Amino acid sequence: DPKIIQKPKYLVAVTGSEKILICEQYLGHNAMYWYRQSAKKPLEFMFSYSYQKLMDNQTASSRFQPQSSKKNHLDLQITALKPDDSATYFCASSQVRGDTQYFGPGTRLLVL
Amino acid sequence: GDSVTQTEGLVTLTKGLPVMLNCTYQTTYSPFLFWYVQHLNEAPKLLLKSSTDNKRTEHQGFYATLHKSSSSFHLQKSSVQLSDSALYFCALRTGGYKVVFGSGTRLLVSP
């Protein structure tokens, strides 16, 4: 059974629209993360949460907003989508912040 | 600030040959390093992580030694296989337990 679920697996959006990427982990971890991977940047750290609190934010744009409704959920809301946002978005988790990270399968986003 | 440098973007080798992927770091805190591997169309996953200074850690035929004197944690394997073709990331745990990833090295192994 998958321990980290990301939905959807693939997503096509139009420029200017808004999407939410879902991440749920069933590892009992206390820290969760979002990363972005594209041809330009192999693995770009975006956010980290620890015990549902935002710890690090490396994303310059406020169009990207993480949302943690439950301890094992960390969704990513992206507003005013641009073609440049096209990438694979990985959610990850670790027992505690800084520990070994386990990555989800990713959501591949294409913005047209 | 804290950083990780992987100097090679791409390494190409014939199977059976040894490989070393470079990883150096900068931090003012006590370093803790990871190597993650990502195969094509898969998610990154942990390959191995550092132990104490000058102690080698091994997993699946890969090994690395943390050398604080040279701020390095190079990944090595004595004989690469076709299945080792992947993207390899070195990562550093910094003070405050933030993790910084390097830019990655793609390893291509040919028959």
Side-chain angles (χ1 to χ4, degrees), chain B residues 6-20:
Chain B
Q6 293 183 249
T7 51
E8 312 105 343
L10 173 66
V11 172
T12 55
L13 281 173
T14 304
K15 74 172 184 180
L17 291 178
V19 67
M20 184 170 85

Side-chain angles (χ1 to χ4, degrees), chain A residues 35 37 42 97-98 100-101 104, chain B residues 36 38 43 49 93 96 101 103:
Chain A
Y35 291 86
Q37 187 170 52
R97 187 163 166 258
T100 299
Q101 293 183 33
Chain B
Y36 286 84
Q38 184 180 20
K49 52 188 177 181
R93 184 173 72 201
F101 279 79
S103 56

Side-chain angles (χ1 to χ4, degrees), chain A residues 33 35 37 42-43 45 55-56 58 90 97-106 108, chain B residues 34 36 38 41-46 49 87 89 93 96-99 101-104:
Chain A
Y33 313 81
Y35 291 86
Q37 187 170 52
L43 194 63
F45 169 80
M55 302 303 291
D56 304 289
Q58 290 281 84
F90 287 105
R97 187 163 166 258
D99 205 355
T100 299
Q101 293 183 33
Y102 295 82
F103 286 78
R108 193 170 288 187
Chain B
F34 305 84
Y36 286 84
Q38 184 180 20
N41 296 323
E42 294 184 9
K45 60 183 179 183
L46 179 73
K49 52 188 177 181
L87 186 55
F89 292 99
R93 184 173 72 201
Y97 297 96
K98 182 178 170 181
V99 177
F101 279 79
S103 56

